[in-house]
Amino acid sequence: MLEVADRPASPETEHFDSSAPAAPKRSSGLSLNAVNNWVPHDLVMRDSWFPLAHDHAVGKTPVRRAVYSHPFYIWREDGKVVASEFHPLEIVTRDKSPFTDARGRYPVMEHYGLIWGWFGRPEAADPAHLPSLPFLPPKGGLPKHMTATIRFDCSAPISLENLIDLTHADFLHADVVGDEKSDSEEVEVYYDSETITMVRTLVNKSVAPIMKFFSGIRQPTQNVRQVIRIYLRSHCAIAYGRFSPGDDVPLFHPCTPESRDRTRMEMVMNTSNAGPMFRHVMPKAGYKVSRQDSSMTNPQSPRYMDLSPRKDLHSKFDQAGQRYRLLMMELAARQDAGDFAYRDNVSTDCSDIIGLRKELFQF
Amino acid sequence: MSSPWWKVALSEEITSTKPFAVDVGDQPVVLWRDAQGIARALEDRCPHRRAPLSRGCVRDNGWLQCGYHGWSYDGETGRLKDIPNMKDEQKFPPVYKAAAFAVSESGGFVSVNLDQKTAIAPPVVPQGFDLCDTAHVALGHDQWINALFDDPGLVLNIRSVEFTPYLMSDLREENGLLVMERFCLWGKVHWPSYATAEFPITLITRTHPVTGETEAVLRDDSFRTLLTAQLAPVPAARGVTQVRWRARLGDDLKGSHAVGLRHKGAFAVRETVDAAALRVLIASASHLAGKLREDIRTSAPDTASSVSAAA
């Protein structure tokens, strides 16, 4: 069940759907029509935790990361992780940014097996703003084969918009997750000011080839419930698929904006409950799937660097994508006006929202 | 907007024994050194019968003599100084002159400014780059710079270095220059770049928004400078870009790949560009560069510092 605090998407749409009622006007904020002024390249989110590295990747030697081109050098001092905008060996010739303390250090924390860096006002850093990822052990410890680093040649919002419209998967990733054939498909969208959740329910969908080969599914079809939940500020997503027959596949899919046109994903897929073959193979599918995504999102990205007088066209399956655009633009507008407050809590356990089968993920 | 200085030659290319022909766009220019060793530049066109002066010679007194009828010109002013067999009648009206261009020499490059009246010479820096060469590329000046922004591997060849699509920082304006930093890999067996967690080296480029003059610094993950190169692309006739470059290795090269840079040919500007790869190259950084270059040119046309001076 979905959390009641999450507002269901209104039927206002710009897509081609003759059965849909006329779009009601919003009383406040941006009109849905604003999604056509979507310039994701210009969106910069502050006061947020960004996942920067897997905990196993950080030792005594600094590793280099970035958020919106701001350098983050991360290493451990006496086992404790630190993040600085200056490399310890760097001859500093540039000014300190306002995003670090007097020593040039960012707020940083370790949770869910990841290193999280705070980008924004250091004094506002609060673990309470860490996204809820209930399928990951809070203290980490998942085997390395369930983790990977993958990069996308596009801006982070483009990558997330791609993710939240899962109809792309039936075509771009058909060889991994199955084609578009199903008896029925339903998409629901829920959101608040900090998150958006899309639930896609399919009946008798073509079985995912990867499950056919590595989970031993013999039936030609399976019922699928896929959930994408995006934490807007931190550009983190949960992609949780429940396949019947089949396995539960919860994926942490962050899209850290290292620069405004390149994205880093420190992914974690908890396949602990799956069979031994699938458990090892499925996380590796990310390497293939990401290339398939990049083949489209890479050429897309520069086309969203400027305002265009030509509107995008939408279908009824784009509700979530349109809402995502709108929420990001609203949040960005609020931040531009100097309001960085969290109006909704992102760290509250979202197990119910994503329909997580908690019995499978006890830590 | 003031006329830019173009690095049209390496210092070694300009001598007092043989004139040297270059062009800046469609403007042919001849360079040589006069009797004092000062580099001079005239329009490569004899005002007498329009013959290229570069096909002439440099006289012992430092004048440039046309190879057609022997008319001789002073490099500083362009004034006609001598017509063979005119004996004592060697006084010529002021209009008897070739168009002279301002010349500056710094850091091992000879630069010309096509506007001699308003040109202010850039600051002189010493030459400390021992590697150098010139490449002629059949690609327009703007397109060459855009390729450098989007995929340096199409226009540069650094031994064992693979340029990845991943930027450490977006292209940005810094002191009037366009600055970006790109992750690179050593050319060896490794994960494909899209799945690589850590990159061992980066390439930082600082590019002049008008001339495209670029300082490129290859650095490892411990902030050691492995190689510094200065690239000077100049638009030439027929859409060709002439790229003069100088490079030097870092003092502290660690690791076999870095040490391998000491071998001959470790750095080069590519003479040919893979057109098939270029055609499908996604304009990303160059897209931003186009806007930034225009902004810088219009808002503060004279504030862009020279690349070598800024470095």
Side-chain angles (χ1 to χ4, degrees), chain A residues 41 63-66 69 71 73 87 89-90 149-151 153 259-262 264 287 291 298 302 305-306, chain B residues 165-170 181 191 193-199 202 221-223 282-284 287-288 291:
Chain A
H41 180 267
V63 297
R64 187 174 187 174
R65 301 288 187 271
S69 300
Y73 295 98
H87 190 284
L89 300 177
E90 182 177 355
T149 297
I150 291 172
R151 296 160 188 274
D153 311 345
S259 70
R260 289 201 280 172
D261 200 39
R262 293 292 184 268
R264 181 189 189 100
Y287 293 116
R291 286 302 86 191
N298 177 222
M305 283 184 178
D306 304 301
Chain B
Y166 302 99
L167 304 184
M168 165 67 191
S169 65
D170 286 308
E181 186 169 8
W191 282 94
S193 59
Y194 70 85
T196 298
E198 319 295 341
F199 292 109
T202 65
D221 55 5
S222 295
F223 274 75
I282 302 295
S284 173
H287 182 94
L288 300 176
K291 290 197 284 189

Side-chain angles (χ1 to χ4, degrees), chain A residues 150-167:
Chain A
I150 291 172
R151 296 160 188 274
F152 296 101
D153 311 345
C154 64
S155 70
I158 291 271
S159 195
L160 286 165
E161 189 187 32
N162 163 71
L163 180 67
I164 204 166
D165 169 18
L166 278 180
T167 58

Side-chain angles (χ1 to χ4, degrees), chain A residues 152 162 168 172-173 289-298:
Chain A
F152 296 101
N162 163 71
H168 85 272
L172 217 46
H173 316 309
V289 167
S290 67
R291 286 302 86 191
Q292 293 168 332
D293 283 326
S294 253
S295 72
M296 290 297 170
T297 56
N298 177 222

